[in-house]
Amino acid sequence: MNNFTFYNPTRIIFGKGTETRVGIETAKYSKRVLLVYGGGSIRKSGLYDKVTASLKEHGILFMELSGVVPNPRVSLVREGIRLCRENKLDFILAVGGGSVIDTAKGIAIGVPYQGDVWDFYDGKAQIKESLPVGVILTIPAAGSESSTSSVLTNEDGWYKKGTGSDLMRPKFAILNPELTYTLPPYQTACGAADIMAHVMERYFTNTQDVDFTDRLCEATLKTIIANVPLAIAEPDNYAARAEVMWAGTIAHNDLLGTGRDQDWASHKIEHELSAIYDVAHGAGLAVVFPAWMKYVYKHNIQRFVQFAVRVWDVDQDFANPERTALAGIERLKEFFRRIGLPVTLEELGVRDDRYEEMADKCTMGDTFEIGGLVKLKKKDVIEIYKLARA
């Protein structure tokens, strides 16, 4: 196990009706707020009225920024920065899923910065200051409600990149599983794939003697495997929704990565898909992750055997570990299929004439190797896209 420092100050407020506490929590930090959300879903569900009533009750002045889309755009972040500066707003409240939260975080780090906010995502600047952020989560998936990271898409060239800092962790995150009842099955499934990917990026490691966090990772994966089909079949099943929502937070709050090296190649490979083709991030991960596994599993076959046996209950073939490892990968793909996700690039409508372009962007012109378990170059990324083709 590696040395580590674990720090997560986000206050989690979990359970039924907790969204009505948003005014109390926000008032601890500010009376001048930018409310960030997506489209009309929070209005149709009545959540918007509850949130704004709570803010007004506690004397909080707020302005609104709506229109956040999946694979959120840096252009809207720039608009939010302008609104905050011109109106002296000093707290960002995100009501939505990962795209909304990532947008809010981008605004929060952009307001005090004198340059362009994309500098942080492009690696040209370090985050030294951030406005405080609060969250009401409506989509369990990205884990951004208590993570250090934000991912945005730049329409100029269609680059999708992330940045991170402890300064970006939200001050509080309100998690009411009831708010997820109206999620369409496909969105629920995409969220599940995102959650599982966050766990697996940490699970597949070269670090030895990390059995405790291995077990935590495996438990989180098995929780998703058991509860997501139930949540899809019974959308208002509070118990299933609660398990998924809390698992999504734990998957990306850094606990599962303590003391171990991590990978993150699959996320980088997928970012190029969703940047260019605007596919749902979780759907892209459902395609990329099994292909990545098939490409690298021989590097550490025992870890893939452990994944197959402990997570998917594959009967271990002691005489043929490769057969066991491949069976685990296939069961992951079968699970994604069962919950209604694509598992090939063909299903996503991705053409092979852009593999090289995506691999080039992913590896910064083949000058940068991605991944922790196995270092991947441009040619490796192209081969993974080929494996994911059909």
Side-chain angles (χ1 to χ4, degrees):
M1 186 183 296
N2 300 334
N3 292 358
F4 68 88
T5 298
F6 177 71
Y7 173 75
N8 194 318
T10 302
R11 178 179 172 84
I12 303 294
I13 303 157
F14 191 100
K16 297 179 179 180
T18 47
E19 65 273 17
T20 60
R21 291 180 53 182
V22 66
I24 296 172
E25 297 301 326
T26 302
K28 295 175 182 177
Y29 301 96
S30 174
K31 293 286 187 174
R32 301 183 66 84
V33 171
L34 181 66
L35 173 60
V36 181
Y37 56 97
S41 61
I42 70 166
R43 290 181 180 272
K44 293 175 184 176
S45 68
L47 178 58
Y48 174 87
D49 292 336
K50 290 181 182 179
V51 170
T52 55
S54 182
L55 294 176
K56 291 173 183 176
E57 180 185 351
H58 290 86
I60 296 169
L61 180 149
F62 63 91
M63 296 187 68
E64 300 179 25
L65 180 69
S66 62
V68 178
V69 296
N71 303 310
R73 312 298 199 246
V74 71
S75 57
L76 192 67
V77 169
R78 291 178 180 132
E79 173 63 13
I81 292 168
R82 183 190 66 79
L83 285 173
C84 287
R85 288 175 176 170
E86 291 181 358
N87 297 280
K88 295 181 170 55
L89 308 177
D90 56 8
F91 186 91
I92 317 298
L93 177 62
V95 181
S99 295
V100 173
I101 302 168
D102 282 4
T103 297
K105 288 177 174 180
I107 296 167
I109 60 174
V111 171
Y113 178 59
Q114 296 306 307
D116 179 50
V117 67
W118 186 251
D119 290 346
F120 296 120
Y121 296 83
D122 209 24
K124 296 177 181 177
Q126 297 296 314
I127 299 165
K128 296 182 179 179
E129 191 176 355
S130 177
L131 298 184
V133 174
V135 172
I136 299 177
L137 183 66
T138 62
I139 305 173
S144 193
E145 63 272 11
S146 66
S147 79
T148 62
S149 60
S150 165
V151 178
L152 296 177
T153 298
N154 191 335
E155 303 97 310
D156 184 9
W158 297 106
Y159 289 92
K160 185 174 180 180
K161 297 185 178 183
T163 190
S165 166
D166 275 323
L167 294 171
M168 297 173 72
R169 290 193 197 271
K171 297 299 183 183
F172 66 82
I174 293 172
L175 279 62
N176 177 1
E178 295 171 309
L179 301 180
T180 70
Y181 286 176
T182 57
L183 284 177
Y186 186 71
Q187 201 164 17
T188 299
C190 285
D194 200 359
I195 293 167
M196 294 178 76
H198 288 155
V199 179
M200 293 186 294
E201 296 283 21
R202 295 169 166 94
Y203 186 78
F204 290 103
T205 180
N206 292 315
T207 309
Q208 300 296 309
D209 304 316
V210 286
D211 194 57
F212 176 64
T213 42
D214 276 356
R215 298 288 185 174
L216 293 179
C217 289
E218 291 154 4
T220 307
L221 290 169
K222 290 180 80 70
T223 295
I224 294 298
I225 293 163
N227 285 281
V228 166
L230 189 56
I232 290 173
E234 303 173 20
D236 59 351
N237 185 317
Y238 181 85
R241 292 287 188 181
E243 295 282 3
V244 172
M245 181 171 260
W246 187 224
T249 298
I250 295 298
H252 204 41
N253 74 348
D254 291 339
L255 176 64
L256 302 185
T258 50
R260 57 200 295 144
D261 296 331
Q262 301 174 32
D263 191 73
W264 297 101
S266 294
H267 263 73
K268 292 181 184 298
I269 294 169
E270 194 290 320
H271 282 169
E272 305 310 327
L273 291 177
S274 48
I276 292 174
Y277 292 92
D278 206 25
V279 300
H281 180 51
L285 287 167
V287 171
V288 168
F289 228 110
W292 170 84
M293 289 176 160
K294 286 185 177 179
Y295 192 74
V296 304
Y297 76 92
K298 291 181 181 179
H299 170 76
N300 191 340
I301 197 165
Q302 288 307 317
R303 178 149 290 276
F304 283 86
V305 168
Q306 178 177 297
F307 172 75
V309 173
R310 290 188 183 177
V311 176
W312 297 105
D313 301 318
V314 174
D315 289 333
Q316 185 168 356
D317 186 337
F318 291 94
N320 192 337
E322 184 171 4
R323 183 179 298 168
T324 305
L326 289 172
I329 298 169
E330 189 56 37
R331 289 202 187 179
L332 174 64
K333 286 184 69 173
E334 289 171 0
F335 176 75
F336 287 150
R337 284 194 192 96
R338 183 156 58 93
I339 61 176
L341 291 175
V343 292
T344 67
L345 291 178
E346 187 175 301
E347 292 173 81
L348 288 177
V350 175
R351 303 188 307 271
D352 59 10
D353 62 346
R354 302 197 76 168
Y355 290 178
E356 185 166 349
E357 175 191 352
M358 292 188 293
D360 195 66
K361 286 182 175 180
C362 186
T363 59
M364 296 191 290
D366 208 18
T367 63
F368 179 74
E369 293 179 330
I370 64 169
L373 185 74
V374 178
K375 298 295 183 184
L376 303 175
K377 297 182 178 181
K378 178 180 174 179
K379 63 178 179 61
D380 301 305
V381 175
I382 291 172
E383 291 304 313
I384 290 170
Y385 285 134
K386 289 179 179 178
L387 280 173
R389 181 164 44 203

